[in-house]
Amino acid sequence: MKKHNIIFTVLAYAGDEDLILENILCLLDAVPEASITVIDGFCDPCSPRTRTLAEIMGVRWKSSAWPRHESPTSLLGMEKILSEMLALSKEDDDVLVKIDPDTALLDARELYEFARSDKALWACGCPDTKIFGNLFALKANAAQYLLSN
């Protein structure tokens, strides 16, 4: 069975600092083989202590290239996030996951099912209230398609 690369991107800033390390621990427990990158807001960055502890856990740390006022939910913000996520990928079927620091992934069964599927997009949320977006995943080829059109 083919093993898929699962690549997490955590968007962060100083206000999330208390949550980031807990989030990383959950990700490492749920998907031990995953690659994790924190993209830190350059206008309001996390402390060097948080960065160092994350790096000790094997996390890649980057500073964002865009101001925080450019909302990640805006079209321009989403394009920048997808570009950052795609830059971490090497294969078309890599699974790119965006997760917020206040979202804990405790069980990755559905994410693994998505990785093995032919689906292009996957999201985690609450089906009763239709709240999604704290965590979403897409295959690298889907991200490339979205960015090129």
Side-chain angles (χ1 to χ4, degrees):
M1 179 180 289
K2 183 178 188 315
K3 186 175 180 180
H4 296 273
N5 295 323
I6 299 178
I7 304 165
F8 287 95
T9 301
V10 182
L11 301 177
Y13 75 107
D16 295 325
E17 198 147 13
D18 293 340
L19 303 170
I20 295 167
L21 298 175
E22 292 293 330
N23 179 292
I24 292 167
L25 289 172
C26 288
L27 293 176
L28 291 171
D29 185 55
V31 188
E33 74 280 7
S35 167
I36 303 169
T37 299
V38 172
I39 300 178
D40 194 9
F42 82 98
C43 291
D44 191 12
C46 296
S47 71
R49 177 188 178 278
T50 298
R51 177 182 180 155
T52 300
L53 289 171
E55 290 175 337
I56 288 169
M57 290 189 277
V59 172
R60 191 174 317 125
W61 197 277
K62 294 178 69 175
S63 181
S64 71
W66 63 88
R68 181 157 170 75
H69 69 271
E70 289 184 19
S71 169
T73 57
S74 72
L75 187 56
L76 180 60
M78 189 53 68
E79 186 174 318
K80 290 178 180 181
I81 292 166
L82 284 177
S83 294
E84 289 280 353
M85 293 169 67
L86 192 58
L88 301 169
S89 173
K90 294 183 177 106
E91 302 290 329
D92 281 348
D93 62 349
D94 284 350
V95 177
L96 310 178
V97 183
K98 192 280 295 179
I99 186 168
D100 291 346
D102 62 353
T103 301
L105 179 65
L106 303 177
D107 185 334
R109 281 181 286 194
E110 288 184 29
L111 182 59
Y112 284 122
E113 287 176 28
F114 167 70
R116 290 187 296 271
S117 77
D118 291 331
K119 295 178 182 175
L121 301 168
W122 177 75
C124 175
C126 178
D128 294 334
T129 57
K130 304 294 187 233
I131 297 173
F132 297 91
N134 296 322
L135 182 152
F136 70 81
L138 71 165
K139 304 279 175 65
N141 58 357
Q144 183 64 48
Y145 175 80
L146 290 170
L147 289 170
S148 67
N149 289 308

